[in-house]
């Protein structure tokens, strides 16, 4: 049960279109970090790229 759930959560961003994932990340940042006074910036670029790269590496490792 746990392994399938983790696999789904890791592969989900690559299965969704990039625009949907970007809008979801933007909304999450504004909802969670907005009240703290932190705006979108370099940190959001790092998190977005990390989300994409983790999925790509995970898919390649799983395929081998």
């Amino acid at each position: 049960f746990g392994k399938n759930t983790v696999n789904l959560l890791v592969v989900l961003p690559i299965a969704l279109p990039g625009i949907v994932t970007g809008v979801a990340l933007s909304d999450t940042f504004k909802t969670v970090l907005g009240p703290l006074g932190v705006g979108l910036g370099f940190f959001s670029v790092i998190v977005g790229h990390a989300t994409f790269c983790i999925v790509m590496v995970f898919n390649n490792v799983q395929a081998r």
Side-chain angles (χ1 to χ4, degrees), residues 10-63:
V10 171
V11 176
L12 193 61
I14 198 73
L16 295 174
I19 293 173
V20 173
T21 304
V23 169
L25 278 172
S26 176
D27 185 50
T28 301
F29 284 139
K30 287 181 181 179
T31 302
V32 174
L33 298 177
L36 299 175
V38 179
L40 296 176
F42 189 62
F43 178 70
S44 61
V45 173
I46 291 173
V47 172
H49 278 85
T51 302
F52 181 74
C53 290
I54 288 171
V55 173
M56 295 302 292
V57 170
F58 181 80
N59 280 340
N60 289 335
V61 169
Q62 189 177 20

